[in-house]
Amino acid sequence: MIKFLDLQKITQKYSDEIHEAVSRVINSGWYLQGKESEKFEMNYAQYIGTKYTIGCANGLDALIWILRAYIEMGVMQLGDEVIVPANTYIASILAITENGLKPVLIEPSIETYQIDDTKIEAAITERTKAVLIVHLYGQCAYTEKIGELCRRYNLKLVEDNAQAHGCKFQGRKTGSLGDAAGHSFYPGKNLGAFGDAGAVTTNDEELAKTVRAIANYGSQKKYVFKYCGRNSRLDEIQAAVLDVKLKHLDEDVAIRKEVARYYIEHMTNPNIITPMVTDWDAHVFHIFTVRTQRRDSLQQYLAENGVQTIIHYPIPPHKQECYKEWNNLSFPITEQIHNEELSLPMSPVLTEEDIIGVVDLVNQWEY
C-alpha cells in the first residue's frame, strides 16, 4: 500500500528531537502560554518574515480572529464584503460568515486553481473591505495585480496560508505578503502539529495585540476583559513540536518538490492534467493534484492497485447544505475543478519505489 500521507513515518524522521521537546514541556510543569509558545512564535515570525506571530487553537480560528480584530478596530463592520475564491476549503468562507461579513465568491483560474485576479476588480463595491486569498494546494495565490488593487481601493489583504508553509513570492514568504495571514498546523500540513494548532502572522502591532486578546477570552490583562473573546490558545506541547519541525521544513519542502517534479516530468497519460508550475519557489506541494474527466474511475483503479488518494474537495462551498442560499449559484470553473480533481500521494517520506509506482500506474490507466 502506498499511503496518501504517512504521518507515522514523518514523525519518525525527527522522533528523538520531538521526544526531547515534549519531555521538556512535561517536566517543566507549564503547559500554556509559556516559553515554548514564546519561542515558536518568535522563530515562526522570523521564518515567515513578519514582526508578529500569535499562536492559536487552529487555522480556522486564525482567520476568524483576524476578521474579528478588524471589526473591533473599526476597520470593518457587520455586513461588509470580503472577496474570496469560490474554489477553496470551506474554512476560508466560514471565517467570513462567522463574523457577520458577506463573502463575495470569485472564480479561479483553470490553470492554477487560484483566484483569478482579472475578475476581482469588477466585484469591488463600496462595502468591500478585504480580499482573502487562499494559497490552495501549496501554490502562491498572490499576484502584483492583487496587491495593486488592494492598495488602490484601500482594501485589507488577508492570506489563508494553511496549505503553503514555506512558499515564496519573489523571495518573500507567503504569510508576509498581505496585512495579515492565518496559518493551520493540522497534522497533515507541511508544518504539522500533533493535533490542532494555528497562528496569525502580521506586521500590524494593533492587530497583533487585538488578535492575542480575543483568543485569550478578550483579555490583555489578567481578569480584565476588553472584548467578548474566546479561548483559542496554542498549547506548549504543540508549540514545542512545531518548533522542532520548523527547523526541517525547508528540507521537507525540497523533497516534496523533487517528488512533484518527477510526477510532472514522467506522467505521460494524455487523459491526465498535472499542475502548471511557472515558478518552483511559488509552490510547496502540500497537495499534488491531477485532473481528469473520469476522476472516480481513476481513483478506484489506483485503490485497487494499492495507492491511496483523496479528493480535494468533492463538493464546492457554494453547493454545501450550510450555505443553501447559494446552492443555485453557478461557478462553472470551480465546479469543474471539484468534479475532476484527484490528489495523489505526496510527502517527504515517499520512497523512490513509491513514486515510480504511482507514475507507472497513472500512465497505464486506460481512460
Side-chain angles (χ1 to χ4, degrees):
M1 169 67 71
I2 301 175
K3 292 185 177 181
F4 176 76
L5 179 65
D6 194 331
L7 289 178
Q8 191 173 24
K9 272 191 178 180
I10 291 173
T11 300
Q12 286 172 352
K13 285 184 70 177
Y14 314 117
S15 61
D16 290 345
E17 293 175 80
I18 290 170
H19 278 290
E20 180 183 348
V22 172
S23 296
R24 185 172 65 245
V25 175
I26 293 170
N27 293 332
S28 75
W30 196 287
Y31 308 125
L32 271 175
Q33 297 179 302
K35 292 180 180 179
E36 298 295 340
S37 295
E38 184 179 342
K39 183 173 70 166
F40 172 69
E41 288 181 349
M42 180 183 67
N43 289 338
Y44 194 65
Q46 184 176 22
Y47 178 82
I48 294 295
T50 56
K51 292 181 181 178
Y52 308 103
T53 290
I54 307 95
C56 61
N58 54 69
L60 173 57
D61 278 4
L63 293 174
I64 290 173
W65 305 148
I66 291 169
L67 297 175
R68 168 75 185 279
Y70 280 134
I71 292 172
E72 296 289 357
M73 292 161 60
V75 175
M76 300 179 188
Q77 58 184 357
L78 299 182
D80 281 342
E81 296 172 354
V82 178
I83 289 172
V84 64
N87 177 43
T88 185
Y89 183 58
I90 201 166
S92 313
I93 297 170
L94 287 172
I96 301 170
T97 57
E98 176 72 13
N99 280 291
L101 302 169
K102 180 182 177 182
V104 177
L105 306 184
I106 302 295
E107 284 270 58
S109 158
I110 192 63
E111 284 81 22
T112 66
Y113 314 135
Q114 310 302 318
I115 191 168
D116 187 338
D117 63 7
T118 68
K119 297 177 179 177
I120 293 175
E121 187 169 15
I124 296 173
T125 74
E126 61 181 15
R127 295 303 303 268
T128 307
K129 293 297 187 291
V131 176
L132 196 164
I133 58 174
V134 183
H135 304 299
L136 195 66
Y137 306 146
Q139 185 166 15
C140 180
Y142 179 83
T143 66
E144 290 180 346
K145 183 177 181 67
I146 292 174
E148 189 276 327
L149 285 171
C150 288
R151 289 188 294 272
R152 191 191 332 157
Y153 289 96
N154 194 29
L155 306 177
K156 294 299 183 183
L157 178 58
V158 180
E159 300 173 74
D160 182 340
N161 200 53
Q163 299 185 2
H165 313 118
C167 187
K168 295 179 183 178
F169 175 83
Q170 297 181 0
R172 294 171 60 197
K173 295 272 180 36
T174 56
S176 70
L177 303 174
D179 296 286
H183 307 252
S184 169
F185 306 122
Y186 178 80
K189 305 296 187 184
N190 289 19
L191 179 61
F194 279 5
D196 279 321
V200 171
T201 55
T202 184
N203 288 316
D204 184 331
E205 183 179 9
E206 183 182 2
L207 179 73
K209 288 180 177 179
T210 307
V211 166
R212 190 177 296 281
I214 291 169
N216 186 37
Y217 296 96
S219 173
Q220 292 177 321
K221 181 180 179 182
K222 194 167 186 178
Y223 301 134
V224 178
F225 303 94
K226 185 174 182 179
Y227 312 105
C228 294
R230 299 289 180 88
N231 176 14
S232 177
R233 299 175 298 201
L234 178 65
D235 72 64
E236 290 287 277
I237 286 180
Q238 302 305 339
V241 169
L242 288 167
D243 204 51
V244 168
K245 296 177 80 173
L246 178 60
K247 299 171 188 174
H248 303 283
L249 177 58
D250 287 344
E251 171 194 335
D252 285 348
V253 166
I255 297 171
R256 287 174 176 272
K257 291 182 181 181
E258 290 177 10
V259 175
R261 195 181 294 273
Y262 187 90
Y263 278 169
I264 291 170
E265 291 178 353
H266 292 85
M267 284 184 185
T268 56
N269 191 319
N271 299 298
I272 298 292
I273 299 171
T274 56
M276 183 182 77
V277 182
T278 57
D279 181 355
W280 283 85
D281 279 343
H283 207 319
V284 293
F285 295 97
H286 168 58
I287 294 168
F288 187 92
T289 63
V290 296
R291 281 181 29 239
T292 177
Q293 292 182 355
R294 297 191 62 221
R295 183 263 311 282
D296 294 346
S297 172
L298 174 61
Q299 184 176 44
Q300 182 178 348
Y301 160 80
L302 290 173
E304 290 170 351
N305 286 276
V307 176
Q308 288 184 339
T309 59
I310 294 179
I311 298 170
H312 291 93
Y313 302 95
I315 306 172
H318 70 282
K319 295 296 185 183
Q320 297 287 351
E321 185 177 355
C322 63
Y323 291 122
K324 59 174 65 74
E325 66 273 21
W326 298 343
N327 287 174
N328 292 327
L329 297 180
S330 175
F331 294 96
I333 297 174
T334 294
E335 290 160 22
Q336 180 183 351
I337 293 168
H338 284 247
N339 288 330
E340 295 180 354
E341 190 276 342
L342 186 66
S343 301
L344 301 182
M346 170 56 70
S347 81
V349 294
L350 288 170
T351 66
E352 183 178 1
E353 183 181 3
D354 291 337
I355 299 162
I356 293 172
V358 170
V359 169
D360 287 347
L361 284 169
V362 169
N363 287 341
Q364 293 164 18
W365 176 57
E366 296 182 2
Y367 182 74

